[in-house]
Amino acid sequence: MTTGTTSSHPNIVLVFTDNQQASTLACYGNEEVVTPNLNKMAEDGYRFDNAFCPNSFCSPCRASTLTGLLPSQHGVHSWIDDRNMEEWPYGWHALNGLSTLPEILKANGYRTGLFGKYHLGTPTIKAPGWDSWVTMEDGHVRSFYHNRIFDNGENYNHDGPSVDFFTEKALGFIAEESDAPFFAYLPYPSPYG
């Protein structure tokens, strides 16, 4: 199992859910929702108790999370319409040219992996800073099942639930033997609307 943690370089797992308010989680006080695994992660890890959504659309929020910038600074102001993908320049990513969290962590010795909904550009081509790249074709969620997957250069259809699939891929990445710390980013396509 990967340890890779030193006091100055902890392993990082960042779970990013889609269109979900904190008030819908037990670890933030909701007594009607049963989320024991998330509660345990919140208890043992770092919980964002004073975080704010920089924009009501998912692409700008993802861009802000990965750059630390506001939409007015990174330029992503609305959801990216992947139905127009054929019009994009080859390999286009909305954050090209900006300093991103995976690039910064990679430059500091981290292994980096994205496992989930990217929705910031061309899903078939790994964005800068990522060692492992497992995402889905559609940024705009159409289904939690039967998704086209781009998995480190391989393309295939996955019929099962996407959240379970991305979790398993992230767990495999985390379990890889390495002395380097890791950054596993899980931008789930759910719960969505």
Side-chain angles (χ1 to χ4, degrees):
M1 177 108 184
T2 303
T3 55
T5 300
T6 66
S7 59
S8 62
H9 291 92
N11 291 322
I12 302 167
V13 176
L14 177 57
V15 176
F16 188 102
T17 57
D18 204 3
N19 294 338
Q20 183 176 28
Q21 298 176 26
S23 64
T24 63
L25 297 168
C27 61
Y28 286 101
N30 188 314
E31 295 176 8
E32 297 175 6
V33 177
V34 179
T35 56
N37 293 326
L38 289 175
N39 295 353
K40 181 73 172 147
M41 285 179 65
E43 182 181 314
D44 294 345
Y46 186 85
R47 193 175 79 180
F48 295 93
D49 289 327
N50 195 24
F52 301 89
C53 183
N55 187 297
S56 61
F57 292 108
C58 68
S59 296
C61 291
R62 291 164 194 282
S64 291
T65 297
L66 294 176
T67 64
L69 301 173
L70 293 171
S72 60
Q73 296 169 302
H74 58 60
V76 181
H77 300 280
S78 186
W79 66 281
I80 293 174
D81 191 347
D82 46 26
R83 294 173 298 187
N84 299 326
M85 209 178 310
E86 292 175 2
E87 300 171 16
W88 299 348
Y90 178 78
W92 177 77
H93 295 285
L95 305 182
N96 283 348
L98 297 173
S99 180
T100 66
L101 182 58
E103 290 174 297
I104 292 166
L105 290 172
K106 188 170 175 60
N108 283 281
Y110 277 78
R111 295 185 305 115
T112 60
L114 176 140
F115 309 94
K117 177 181 168 179
Y118 176 57
H119 208 189
L120 286 169
T122 307
T124 56
I125 298 172
K126 192 185 310 183
W130 297 107
D131 294 313
S132 189
W133 180 263
V134 184
T135 190
M136 53 202 285
E137 179 176 39
D138 295 320
H140 182 74
V141 175
R142 290 167 178 81
S143 174
F144 298 126
Y145 297 85
H146 312 293
N147 286 292
R148 183 88 179 138
I149 300 294
F150 301 104
D151 182 348
N152 296 304
E154 292 183 50
N155 302 331
Y156 53 87
N157 290 318
H158 177 72
D159 290 330
S162 57
V163 169
D164 295 348
F165 171 80
F166 290 127
T167 300
E168 290 300 319
K169 287 292 185 172
L171 290 172
F173 171 80
I174 289 168
E176 290 174 10
E177 289 292 331
S178 176
D179 290 332
F182 62 78
F183 169 50
Y185 177 49
L186 287 104
Y188 288 126
S190 64
Y192 207 63

